Amino acid sequence: MRDLRARPLLAAILMLSVWGCSDSTPQPQQEPETPAAAAATEDPRAAGIRSATASVDGNRIIAADKEPGNWLSHGRTYDEQRYSPLTQINDKNVAELGLAWYFDTGTIRGLEATPIVVDGVMFTSGSWSVVWAHDAKTGELLWEYDPQVPKEWGKFACCDVVNRGVAVWKGQVFVGTLDGRLVALDAATGEPNWDVQTTDRDRPYTITGAPRVVKDKVIIGNGGAEYGVRGYVSAYSTETGELEWRFYTVPGNPAEPFENDAMEMAAGTWRGGKWWEVGGGGTVWDSMAYDPALNLLYIGVGNGAPWNRYIRSPGGGDNLFVSSILALNPDSGELVWYYQTTPGDSWDYTATQHMILADMEIEGEMRKVLMQAPKNGFFYVLDRTNGELLSAEAYVPVTWATHVDLETGRPVENPDAHYANEVRRIQPAPYGGHNWHPMSYSPDTGLVYIPALELSFKYAQDNAFHYQPGEWNTAVDFKQIAPAKDPDVMISDLQAVRGHLAAWDPVTQKEVWRVQHTTSWNGGLLTTAGNLLFQGRADGVFAAYAADSGELLWEFPANVGIIAAPISYSVDGEQYISVVAGWGGAFGLASGVPRHRDNVLSEGRILTFKLGGKAELPALEVTFIDIPEPPPMQTTPEQVAQGEGLYHQYCAVCHSPGATGSSGGIADLRYTNAATHESWDAIVRGGAFLGKGMPKFDHVLDAEDAQAIRAYIVEQTRGTIAFCQSAYRENYPELLDTACTRPQVSVQSSESD
């Protein structure tokens, strides 16, 4: 299939009607065109999209199983089960799956979106909050919308400039933008209908999550806790963009009036300190679900700001509602019930992870449950009518707590997990036992499928912490995440980076089977009635497994790490499987873990499959470039040590710990050329690369600081080159080949199928 970066937009079709009209002769004045006349002259395809999407509303989403060929909401249904009833593709014939079409996104950053499909039209989003509409059968691009997010705003995206998808409702497509706006687009043309700023532009808020729409209200949260914000979720009128209600998730300054009784109650659980100056955190940056019968909207709440509770709330307290699941009345935003997974969280254990609603028999009684595997490593089953804890068990290794007490509903913390006085290695890491990657549920097997992470982290208190507006404010000493200087320890640390696909029984709270993956940060999940479970992996492969057994049934080499969740839909009687593929996210940027050797592409794609699909991806020619010798620079041990601390405070979250090279689309500083070294101060402090998304740091770094960081990078590069020339690389090629080289990919053009 040809490269679709030359985009054939609907606007180009409409332009044909005025082509050649350069006659300067005055024309008779005409009456304004009526809406009926405009509809009659509208491009037929646009008219078809307008008609198909106009009827997407709550009733249609609630009845989604009556039209299984569509994917109308983020999790397909309001219960977010991510289960497709389609069976044309099944465990007996999935080996015949082939590529139907693909689309080159033209992006080099993480892609995390779940597409929406309505009557043969696919709507999805990509890096920098760009939105696309495609013909879901052929892949033809119908329109593109770019919200023109200022590239410098990427500084405030802790976890990449990602977007997890759009919502469609009554002829409009809604997208949250990285710089905090909510935009309503005409589904037929991609033209904006309204655009509202949902956040204070003087604070470092972002939006990366997908909106949800409930009862003509579009619900959106935000992110930015690490940088210092106060979290909330808002509801806007789908028609006008007017704010309908807002619920704050953590209290503000207690000297000022509280917004509601819930905030007054929550304020009593924050003790000591001035958390409101940093913001308090508690951002609602991802998961939501809705129960129409109960009329309850469920939202997941993130970590506190700063992370470290000993500094955030030195007098103790649970710090409500950080790391909590909240049930709200979607009509008013009023709090109905809450459950806190990690009281007084100090480890970035958000509860923003995917929530699934289901009805199941537990101890002989049918219960309406909400299930979540948040970052803290425990799988929770709650009664979603009232928030009662039914069960909680560890789904990954957990060292911060011994168990969850079912009587109190609270975790029993391990005293060794407290890091105020010494460094502690703790599991899970801040990436969690499970991050944003969507789980799925199969009513056929009764199992929940979890893209699990097996990672640990060295926590230490930053005793020199002071709040810096707009900077990384965790009160955790990030120098501890620098790679070990002992090569054997470093190899051991890399070998410990693992991930797996777990099939979890939520009734017995036990793992039924697992697929162990070669590395971590593998993609979200889709389950189908054909006994299939689809997942993209960090090793650049898209795979299908048997949902009942975990048997590998089919694989497709995508050549790029896949982190988003797939969907399934049908057009003209054919079932399709589609996934957005593009490596990045928090782990790709900040972990310092090298890419898998088969994850070579920087550019993203949408990949769509059907039985007997004959399309082919362009052939790749891959060469590997060794790390070049850095330009000469006289350094001192003191300067390098200074640079190491500053680098891990300001740079590591994007460029990776230890300057080992980000694998998520950000520049690998070890490959910095001489011209860039010569312009170092202009880039780091002067903002020369603002247009590329590289912020300036003149407000926190002076010229000496900037040169100290450069000295650290130069010395790290020299050390890496020497290490890569040692026997370690020969002995551990699966770990070190991609750490010691950078793939350069040449993509050969291919003909359209």
Side-chain angles (χ1 to χ4, degrees), residues 109 126-130 147 149-163 175-182 197 199 201 204-209 222-223:
R109 302 290 290 272
S127 311
W128 299 106
S129 319
V130 173
V149 173
K151 293 298 184 287
E152 59 266 27
W153 206 265
K155 169 187 178 179
F156 304 129
C158 76
C159 310
D160 209 353
V161 292
V162 297
N163 189 280
V175 64
T177 70
L178 193 72
D179 57 345
R181 290 175 286 144
L182 180 64
Q197 186 70 44
T199 58
R201 287 296 287 254
Y205 284 100
T206 56
I207 295 176
T208 56
N222 45 60

Side-chain angles (χ1 to χ4, degrees), residues 489-505:
V489 175
M490 185 194 71
I491 293 295
S492 178
D493 287 345
L494 287 175
Q495 289 174 327
V497 174
R498 298 162 62 85
H500 66 269
L501 166 57
W504 192 264
D505 187 329

Side-chain angles (χ1 to χ4, degrees), residues 299-324:
I299 64 170
V301 183
N303 55 276
W307 289 1
N308 188 338
R309 71 182 178 203
Y310 311 114
I311 291 176
R312 181 180 73 238
S313 184
D318 289 347
N319 291 186
L320 293 172
F321 295 100
V322 302
S323 304
S324 299

Side-chain angles (χ1 to χ4, degrees), residues 437-653:
H437 315 78
M439 307 186 298
S440 68
Y441 171 72
S442 171
D444 303 321
T445 64
L447 300 177
V448 175
Y449 303 93
I450 310 170
L453 310 173
E454 301 168 63
L455 304 166
S456 64
F457 187 83
K458 288 192 293 184
Y459 291 86
Q461 181 160 294
D462 179 3
N463 290 313
F465 172 77
H466 64 281
Y467 170 51
Q468 293 183 306
E471 298 303 324
W472 192 250
N473 289 285
T474 64
V476 170
D477 184 359
F478 267 70
K479 291 194 296 294
Q480 297 298 328
I481 67 174
K485 292 180 170 54
D486 183 327
D488 292 320
V489 175
M490 185 194 71
I491 293 295
S492 178
D493 287 345
L494 287 175
Q495 289 174 327
V497 174
R498 298 162 62 85
H500 66 269
L501 166 57
W504 192 264
D505 187 329
V507 176
T508 64
Q509 283 281 22
K510 292 182 180 179
E511 184 179 286
V512 177
W513 54 256
R514 78 163 57 184
V515 175
Q516 192 67 50
H517 293 322
T518 57
T519 187
S520 204
W521 208 245
N522 300 285
L525 299 165
L526 163 71
T527 317
T528 79
N531 191 35
L532 292 174
L533 178 65
F534 288 92
Q535 183 183 33
R537 303 194 310 243
D539 62 358
V541 172
F542 187 48
Y545 304 90
D548 58 357
S549 67
E551 178 186 358
L552 178 64
L553 301 176
W554 171 84
E555 288 185 314
F556 178 85
N559 305 312
V560 61
I562 300 173
I563 52 182
I567 65 166
S568 187
Y569 61 91
S570 64
V571 182
D572 295 337
E574 284 191 296
Q575 183 182 354
Y576 294 82
I577 307 291
S578 191
V579 68
V580 181
W583 183 246
F587 186 82
L589 294 185
S591 70
V593 175
R595 283 187 180 217
H596 189 277
R597 58 183 175 272
D598 295 325
N599 177 8
V600 295
L601 278 180
S602 297
E603 295 78 11
R605 284 178 170 150
I606 301 173
L607 301 170
T608 302
F609 304 86
K610 68 177 182 178
L611 294 175
K614 301 298 184 184
E616 295 183 0
L617 293 177
L620 303 181
E621 291 185 1
V622 184
T623 57
F624 292 90
I625 303 172
D626 290 334
I627 301 169
E629 286 287 342
M633 181 182 185
Q634 296 295 322
T635 67
T636 66
E638 294 77 16
Q639 184 186 33
V640 171
Q642 177 191 0
E644 179 178 16
L646 293 170
Y647 176 89
H648 286 94
Q649 183 172 1
Y650 297 112
C651 313
V653 69

Side-chain angles (χ1 to χ4, degrees), residues 128-396:
W128 299 106
S129 319
V130 173
V131 181
W132 301 288
H134 288 90
D135 184 312
K137 181 175 181 177
T138 67
E140 178 187 357
L141 181 66
L142 305 177
W143 55 255
E144 177 188 65
Y145 169 73
D146 185 346
Q148 298 294 317
V149 173
K151 293 298 184 287
E152 59 266 27
W153 206 265
K155 169 187 178 179
F156 304 129
C158 76
C159 310
D160 209 353
V161 292
V162 297
N163 189 280
R164 296 188 189 91
V166 302
V168 175
W169 186 271
K170 295 184 178 180
Q172 296 193 102
V173 176
F174 301 96
V175 64
T177 70
L178 193 72
D179 57 345
R181 290 175 286 144
L182 180 64
V183 185
L185 306 174
D186 185 322
T189 65
E191 293 296 321
N193 290 335
W194 51 259
D195 182 330
V196 298
Q197 186 70 44
T198 73
T199 58
D200 181 353
R201 287 296 287 254
D202 292 332
R203 304 287 289 200
Y205 284 100
T206 56
I207 295 176
T208 56
R212 311 297 202 279
V213 186
V214 174
K215 302 168 78 171
D216 291 317
K217 297 178 180 65
V218 55
I219 316 296
I220 194 70
N222 45 60
E226 282 73 21
Y227 295 88
V229 300
R230 182 189 182 196
Y232 55 83
V233 63
S234 306
Y236 291 84
S237 165
T238 56
E239 288 300 312
T240 66
E242 293 181 4
L243 180 65
E244 299 277 351
W245 55 256
R246 173 167 292 169
F247 182 84
Y248 285 94
T249 54
V250 298
N253 188 341
E256 299 175 357
F258 295 109
E259 290 83 2
N260 50 49
D261 291 343
M263 285 299 95
E264 184 174 8
M265 181 270 289
T269 68
W270 296 67
R271 299 168 191 155
K274 295 183 178 181
W275 72 85
W276 60 91
E277 293 183 354
V278 179
T283 50
V284 184
W285 55 263
D286 192 22
S287 184
M288 302 182 206
Y290 174 58
D291 186 329
L294 298 174
N295 195 35
L296 290 178
L297 172 70
Y298 306 97
I299 64 170
V301 183
N303 55 276
W307 289 1
N308 188 338
R309 71 182 178 203
Y310 311 114
I311 291 176
R312 181 180 73 238
S313 184
D318 289 347
N319 291 186
L320 293 172
F321 295 100
V322 302
S323 304
S324 299
I325 297 168
L326 308 184
L328 305 179
N329 182 330
D331 300 320
S332 62
E334 179 185 3
L335 178 66
V336 178
W337 61 255
Y338 73 91
Y339 176 81
Q340 190 171 40
T341 59
T342 312
D345 170 46
S346 203
W347 306 276
D348 187 26
Y349 288 163
T350 65
T352 53
Q353 284 56 57
H354 184 194
M355 294 177 289
I356 294 175
L357 312 183
D359 296 349
M360 58 183 57
E361 185 176 336
I362 298 177
E363 295 183 349
E365 180 183 353
M366 288 300 298
R367 305 295 294 260
K368 295 180 178 296
V369 305
L370 179 153
M371 299 176 286
Q372 188 189 52
K375 278 189 184 181
N376 75 11
F378 291 100
F379 188 96
Y380 292 85
V381 180
L382 305 179
D383 184 318
R384 69 176 183 270
T385 69
N386 57 18
E388 177 191 354
L389 175 65
L390 301 180
S391 63
E393 294 291 341
Y395 63 92
V396 292

